[in-house]
Amino acid sequence: MSTKKIRVGIIGASPDRGWAAQAHIPALKSLSEDFEITALSTSRRESADAAGKLFGVPVAFDNHEDLVNRADVDAVAITVKVPYHLELATAALNAGKAVYCEWPLGNGLVEAQTLAALAKKKGALAVVGLQARSAPSVAYVRDLIKQGYVGEVLSTSLIGSGLGWGPTVEPFNAYLNDKKNGATMLSIPLGHTADALCHCLGEVRELSATMTVRRRSFTIAGTSESRPMTTDDQVAVTGLLESGAAFSIHYRGGHSRGTNLLWEINGTEGDLQLTAAGGHAQMFEMTVRGGKGAQSALEVLAVPNQYRWSPPQGTGLSTNVAQAYVRFARDFREGTHFCPTFDDAVTRHRMLDAIERAAVTGQRQTLG
């Protein structure tokens, strides 16, 4: 198996738009020595045929059952909306496949726990798309922290814009503004970026939170249709990491004319700062700045090439997904644990669940 290409089936490979077309397919095609896309599926025959032709994939289905049961599919990538993750990941695991499921793993903590338990029972490689961990800048900063660049971490602060959850939403993203779908500003941009924070600095020990809906409605782009906003577009979290370092996170919906991602790490010996054009650490290239010792200001720290594991991806959204697939290939062949697993996803879901409980009850939550 170690010398063979890993054969991937993609569920949700729309020919028109979507995360598979923007990220997974370019990433996998750039890693052709390790991967081969052997099948894809969408929800309609017409779109399946169009996607197969567009992406050059030999077999296309209008249902997921045929895909997960293919003998020439080793791993299933699930790139559809969050409410379908439980059903599709369950089917893939029951078919004996390795799984790469996009984040959030489930619509809430309970679904994530259910999938993690099934993956453990099946003994399957089950990876979640928390690909900010694989971003070159995040991998670099994680090592800088380990190497003592800032000394002892005293605190970290993160502010980000969701980009979505603003005044206007594209029709295909309207479902993000309905809290019951589990694809919220809390779970997606905050969840991805907070995972990068915890990957570098350690998990959360305790937290308090405030969440509120400030925009009561939004407009569908290109129309005058207004719909109610039912998911929080302001999330503020403070607390302590397991190390004792203080942390604060504030995410707000829409796009700011000022700061859209600013993450600082302050220590006894130095400081690090990551910035980007948007609050999604899983998508945007982040610039790293640092300063320590006698330095009185930050300077740009170029990310060394050793943290760029995948071929250059250009200006699209596939860089961090390609980086994650490089690690996936190693985990698949060698049984290592470089990719975040379904168990890691449960840890992150548990943190998000604690944030929601803290906001609802007004009580500080303890994790561990």
Side-chain angles (χ1 to χ4, degrees):
M1 183 65 72
S2 64
T3 60
K4 294 181 180 178
K5 290 185 180 182
I6 300 167
R7 300 166 297 180
V8 180
I10 302 176
I11 300 177
S14 169
D16 305 318
R17 53 176 171 77
W19 193 238
Q22 291 177 298
H24 281 258
I25 291 172
L28 288 165
K29 285 184 176 292
S30 76
L31 299 168
S32 57
E33 291 186 3
D34 288 315
F35 294 97
E36 178 184 5
I37 305 172
T38 53
L40 57 79
S41 70
T42 68
S43 59
R44 295 181 300 109
R45 182 73 264 165
E46 297 82 5
S47 63
D49 290 341
K53 183 177 180 180
L54 177 64
F55 301 125
V57 178
V59 180
F61 300 105
D62 60 0
N63 67 89
H64 68 273
E65 292 92 347
D66 287 341
L67 183 146
V68 301
N69 288 300
R70 291 279 298 189
D72 61 354
V73 169
D74 303 310
V76 175
I78 298 168
T79 67
V80 299
K81 293 178 179 179
V82 179
Y84 304 104
H85 286 186
L86 176 64
E87 176 190 3
L88 299 177
T90 297
L93 289 169
N94 282 333
K97 309 300 184 182
V99 177
Y100 183 134
C101 183
E102 269 302 338
W103 173 264
L105 177 57
N107 188 349
L109 175 60
V110 172
E111 287 192 4
Q113 290 172 322
T114 299
L115 286 171
L118 179 59
K120 184 175 182 179
K121 178 182 177 181
K122 296 293 183 179
L125 173 61
V127 164
V128 69
L130 286 166
Q131 58 267 5
R133 293 190 185 198
S134 297
S137 54
V138 172
Y140 179 39
V141 165
R142 187 170 191 255
D143 276 357
L144 287 175
I145 296 296
K146 283 184 174 181
Q147 293 159 9
Y149 184 94
V150 303
E152 181 183 1
V153 176
L154 301 173
S155 67
T156 187
S157 54
L158 170 63
I159 186 168
S161 296
L163 303 187
W165 304 276
T168 305
V169 178
E170 294 295 332
F172 52 82
N173 276 335
Y175 92 109
L176 299 171
N177 290 356
D178 187 342
K179 190 171 185 176
K180 74 174 187 292
N181 290 321
T184 63
M185 188 180 70
L186 172 67
S187 67
I188 296 178
L190 191 156
H192 274 290
T193 311
D195 186 71
L197 185 156
C198 293
H199 184 57
C200 292
L201 302 178
E203 293 298 331
V204 170
R205 179 199 299 173
E206 54 189 75
L207 61 81
S208 301
T210 298
M211 297 171 60
T212 189
V213 181
R214 292 293 292 152
R215 288 188 176 92
R216 299 293 177 179
S217 63
F218 63 95
T219 301
I220 300 295
T223 76
S224 59
E225 181 185 354
S226 178
R227 295 186 188 177
M229 175 86 78
T230 66
T231 186
D232 301 280
D233 60 353
Q234 298 290 325
V235 180
V237 190
T238 62
L240 299 175
L241 302 177
E242 288 179 345
S243 66
F247 80 91
S248 66
I249 299 173
H250 178 202
Y251 263 71
R252 57 275 175 94
H255 184 274
S256 171
R257 294 172 183 83
T259 302
N260 287 293
L261 191 146
L262 172 62
W263 173 22
E264 287 201 359
I265 302 165
N266 309 111
T268 55
E269 305 296 331
D271 305 283
L272 288 166
Q273 181 191 80
L274 293 90
T275 57
H280 294 250
Q282 79 280 16
M283 294 194 301
F284 288 90
E285 181 80 17
M286 291 183 284
T287 299
V288 181
R289 292 178 175 86
K292 62 179 180 176
Q295 291 176 281
S296 60
L298 300 177
E299 63 180 8
V300 173
L301 303 180
V303 178
N305 286 334
Q306 71 193 69
Y307 296 100
R308 301 187 186 278
W309 314 311
S310 66
Q313 301 290 305
T315 58
L317 298 174
S318 58
T319 293
N320 296 340
V321 175
Q323 294 265 114
Y325 269 119
V326 171
R327 289 181 152 182
F328 182 96
R330 185 168 178 183
D331 289 352
F332 183 89
R333 290 172 172 146
E334 301 178 18
T336 49
H337 177 193
F338 289 103
C339 283
T341 65
F342 282 14
D343 285 337
D344 296 318
V346 168
T347 297
R348 196 59 48 233
H349 271 285
R350 189 173 286 119
M351 174 186 171
L352 300 183
D353 186 67
I355 291 171
E356 290 193 283
R357 279 188 283 109
V360 169
T361 64
Q363 297 177 347
R364 196 169 181 87
Q365 301 294 309
T366 300
L367 292 89

